[in-house]
Amino acid sequence: MKQATPEMPALARRLINGETAALARAISVVERDTPQAIEILRAIRPHLGQAIVVGFTGPPGAGKSTLVNAYVAELRRRGKTVGIVAVDPSSPITGGAVLGDRIRMAEHTLDEGVFIRSLASRGALGGLSASAAQVADLMDAADRDVVILETVGTGQSEVEMATIADVRVVIAAPGLGDDVQAIKAGILEIADVLVVNKADQPLASQTRRQLNAMLGLRATAEHPVPVLSTDAINRVGVADLADAVTVVADRRDRQTDRSALAGRTRHLLAQAVSKAAEAHVMNSRSEKVEDILHAVQDARLGLTDAAKQILGGILGYNANEQ
Amino acid sequence: MTLDTVIPARVLVTKIGLDGHDRGSRIVAAYLRDAGMEVIYTDPWQKLEAVVALALQEDVDVIGISSLATDHLLVPKLMKALDEAGLGHIRVIVGGIVPAEEEADLLKAGVSRVFHPGSGREEIVEAVAKLAVDAADDRTDD
């Protein structure tokens, strides 16, 4: 039984007590990264580590949202409560976004055991938004048994998810052009479970064979990566997927895995630093930054050295000393 | 140096009732997206309870209901349901075919604005942006 302490921010207390509106609101607060956000995140800390965080990634059109929808239905049959973080891209030009992942999850809209939140990537690379890890934490604290992270579909660089999720599911589908093109280096290495969706299509077995061959070539894996077939629309193979996720989750002792948690924090910190540095360079009109900018423009200074000089200026130390 | 980024308005664009003509709602969703807003877009035929659940989970500032075939007559019920769910701060707009006498009823029920055929992009975007700010100001829980 979770007990909320009285000095906690009201929103955190309501969230821990399972109030849906408080979870929704807390996510907005954390997305805005206000002083209140850090208070909420501190208050929920003792309540973390209960949920299994499952990441779903893969190229656009592979069927991520449809498979997540089917997987959620299976989890509900198994009596699990679910939180879903569905990330869609923001326009790099206007910052706007149309968030449509939940169109494919409409059957769960009225189920109180399923909470879906659509996030825009807001310029973050790597398939998630900057606050996705913290949003997953909020859902964990709000007593969701399983938290699902669905990334933006690019299928080639979503290693971000690897640092946040306990179980990484990588989805491929036949007929998206060159099969192997769809899953390149980086994304394959992070997979705990590989899924070939749209298994009813004629080329599916070929895609599966190619994935198995690529896995065979991979240097070493502590645990073999299962390659599953699903037909998400017709709910074929989804129970097997749920079982495979459970197997991976069970061999991770999430709460005691402090080094993984520290690694995740380091990663998030690095991300925040690069974001802050980017804002500094973009907004600064300081003489020093302008000098460095002109030096790069005139090819008197390389980009890496320029970056080190700027970081040195911000942090007040010599960035060459690692 | 500022690290503060502008928080985009979050808008739910949807349709209730039985009419499935979603061209208008798609165009408005694209307008709002191109104005830098985050638009949660759904299929038509949403139940009122679903609109409330969506608005709650997604923590939107504004709901846009597209109505081309009398679905707007359900909107007063939606307003009541939103209020009961503690979402009275959310601003609701209706766009489409709404006869003048029914527009008065909608406004009386709490709808912020009704857009008729011929409404321009700028007019819609400007109104939604302002309503989103009003909604954020009216929140009671933080």
Side-chain angles (χ1 to χ4, degrees):
Chain A
M1 189 62 211
K2 290 182 174 182
Q3 280 296 320
T5 50
E7 66 271 20
M8 240 184 216
L11 208 49
R13 188 169 63 240
R14 288 166 50 209
L15 177 155
I16 289 162
N17 289 335
E19 204 185 305
T20 309
L23 173 58
R25 196 67 205 122
I27 293 173
S28 302
V29 172
V30 163
E31 273 224 294
R32 262 190 252 137
D33 200 14
T34 59
Q36 198 199 354
I38 197 71
E39 276 177 38
I40 292 172
L41 291 169
R42 193 183 320 124
I44 63 165
R45 273 190 60 106
H47 303 277
L48 298 183
Q50 305 304 312
I52 297 171
V53 181
V54 187
F56 281 74
T57 193
K64 287 183 295 300
S65 299
T66 308
L67 186 58
V68 166
N69 179 58
Y71 175 60
V72 170
E74 178 64 26
L75 289 173
R76 295 299 291 145
R77 255 192 297 284
R78 297 179 184 200
K80 304 287 187 194
T81 56
V82 185
I84 302 166
V85 185
V87 187
D88 267 331
S90 300
S91 157
I93 312 294
T94 66
V98 171
L99 309 172
D101 282 332
R102 62 183 304 155
I103 289 175
R104 322 231 189 283
M105 306 178 199
E107 67 180 84
H108 303 297
T109 304
L110 292 174
D111 178 353
E112 294 198 350
V114 179
F115 182 101
I116 307 174
R117 182 59 171 258
S118 314
L119 298 184
S121 61
R122 294 188 181 170
L125 300 173
L128 292 172
S129 74
S131 58
Q134 294 166 335
V135 174
D137 282 351
L138 292 172
M139 290 188 177
D140 182 357
D143 239 353
R144 299 283 145 172
D145 298 319
V146 179
V147 175
I148 296 171
L149 294 173
E150 185 193 329
T151 73
V152 172
T154 76
Q156 298 182 353
S157 62
E158 288 95 335
V159 283
E160 294 300 305
M161 186 191 79
T163 61
I164 299 172
D166 299 310
V167 183
R168 289 76 60 102
V169 179
V170 174
I171 304 161
L176 296 177
D178 177 359
D179 293 320
V180 181
Q181 166 77 14
I183 298 194
K184 283 187 172 166
I187 189 95
L188 200 63
E189 281 95 320
I190 65 163
D192 296 306
V193 178
L194 271 169
V195 178
V196 178
N197 192 33
K198 308 189 187 183
D200 56 321
Q201 294 196 8
L203 291 171
S205 60
Q206 191 188 330
T207 304
R208 212 180 130 128
R209 261 200 315 280
Q210 285 175 334
L211 284 175
N212 270 315
M214 286 173 78
L215 285 172
L217 291 174
R218 212 165 69 161
T220 49
E222 200 184 333
H223 300 279
V225 176
V227 180
L228 307 177
S229 293
T230 58
D231 171 4
I233 286 181
N234 295 310
R235 311 291 160 101
V236 177
V238 180
D240 290 344
L241 169 62
D243 290 341
V245 169
T246 308
V247 168
V248 177
D250 284 350
R251 70 177 183 236
R252 296 230 161 110
D253 191 353
R254 295 185 304 284
Q255 268 175 299
T256 58
D257 201 351
R258 305 307 300 180
S259 67
L261 208 61
R264 188 188 103 171
T265 308
R266 185 178 293 275
H267 187 86
L268 291 173
L269 179 62
Q271 242 183 7
V273 168
S274 54
K275 199 173 143 197
E278 182 182 334
H280 179 72
V281 174
M282 294 304 289
N283 302 333
S284 168
R285 295 288 173 270
S286 84
E287 217 167 288
K288 179 130 206 296
V289 172
E290 295 308 295
D291 283 350
I292 294 172
L293 187 136
H294 289 127
V296 173
Q297 220 167 14
D298 302 342
R300 283 181 280 120
L301 187 63
L303 273 175
T304 307
D305 286 332
K308 282 178 178 170
Q309 283 189 15
I310 283 178
L311 265 185
I314 299 173
L315 301 171
Y317 79 106
N318 184 352
N320 280 313
E321 298 165 11
Q322 290 284 318
Chain B
M1 164 181 137
T2 173
L3 292 181
D4 293 336
T5 42
V6 181
I7 302 306
R10 285 174 70 86
V11 185
L12 171 62
V13 175
T14 188
K15 276 177 72 67
I16 52 181
L18 297 175
D19 171 45
H21 294 89
D22 58 359
R23 186 133 185 137
S25 63
R26 284 176 189 232
I27 288 173
V28 170
Y31 282 176
L32 300 178
R33 176 201 63 200
D34 292 346
M37 301 183 199
E38 293 180 359
V39 181
I40 291 90
Y41 183 81
T42 78
D43 281 338
W45 316 295
Q46 296 296 320
K47 293 178 182 166
L48 296 184
E49 307 92 283
V51 175
V52 174
L54 284 160
L56 180 84
Q57 293 180 14
E58 298 289 355
D59 194 20
V60 297
D61 308 301
V62 179
I63 300 175
I65 302 285
S66 163
S67 171
L68 302 174
T70 72
D71 296 328
H72 61 273
L73 297 174
L74 293 168
V75 170
K77 268 193 187 167
L78 173 66
M79 302 305 292
K80 194 156 166 279
L82 286 169
D83 224 27
E84 284 166 5
L87 300 175
H89 64 279
I90 296 178
R91 300 302 198 260
V92 176
I93 59 171
V94 176
I97 312 292
V98 179
E101 62 272 25
E102 287 165 12
E103 173 172 0
D105 292 340
L106 292 185
L107 296 175
K108 206 158 69 191
V111 169
S112 297
R113 181 88 186 257
V114 175
F115 290 94
H116 298 281
S119 303
R121 173 200 293 259
E122 272 167 36
E123 184 188 359
I124 297 171
V125 164
E126 223 169 88
V128 172
K130 184 176 176 307
L131 290 170
V133 173
D134 293 347
D137 287 346
D138 271 6
R139 285 180 195 288
T140 49
D141 60 354
D142 65 6

